[in-house]
Amino acid sequence: MTVPTPDAPYGFDPQGRPYSDKSKIVAGVLQILLGGLGIGRFYVGSVGVGVAQLLTCGGLGIWALVDGILFLTSSDRTDKHGRVLRG
């Protein structure tokens, strides 16, 4: 990890991408527990996808569960600013 800058206050990942102020663990747990409401997506700033999950009850729970697992296991999920989720 390199030294934080004003553009990336949480530093950079090994590929040089700035880290987000959001956590992938929090996003994943919110998505698994409250994914039918799209809460994990609202947390990371994906309002459009959050509304779609809200209107479809998280794809009857399947979309929300898969999305939550991907938040927890993927290393390239980003927030609304394109910064990589921490944690």
Side-chain angles (χ1 to χ4, degrees):
M1 186 166 108
T2 59
V3 178
T5 66
D7 295 333
Y10 295 95
F12 296 90
D13 73 351
Q15 287 79 33
R17 301 173 295 181
Y19 278 120
S20 173
D21 59 335
K22 307 293 185 194
S23 166
K24 73 178 191 173
I25 296 170
V26 172
V29 170
L30 285 172
Q31 192 61 22
I32 289 172
L33 297 178
L34 300 169
L37 302 174
I39 301 300
R41 286 302 191 145
F42 286 118
Y43 171 72
V44 297
S46 297
V47 176
V49 177
V51 170
Q53 288 184 344
L54 179 64
L55 294 175
T56 63
C57 294
L60 300 177
I62 297 169
W63 179 13
L65 179 63
V66 170
D67 207 21
I69 292 169
L70 288 175
F71 269 121
L72 293 172
T73 60
S74 178
S75 62
D76 63 348
R77 287 290 180 120
T78 59
D79 66 6
K80 70 178 179 178
H81 302 290
R83 297 178 300 206
V84 179
L85 298 178
R86 294 183 296 133

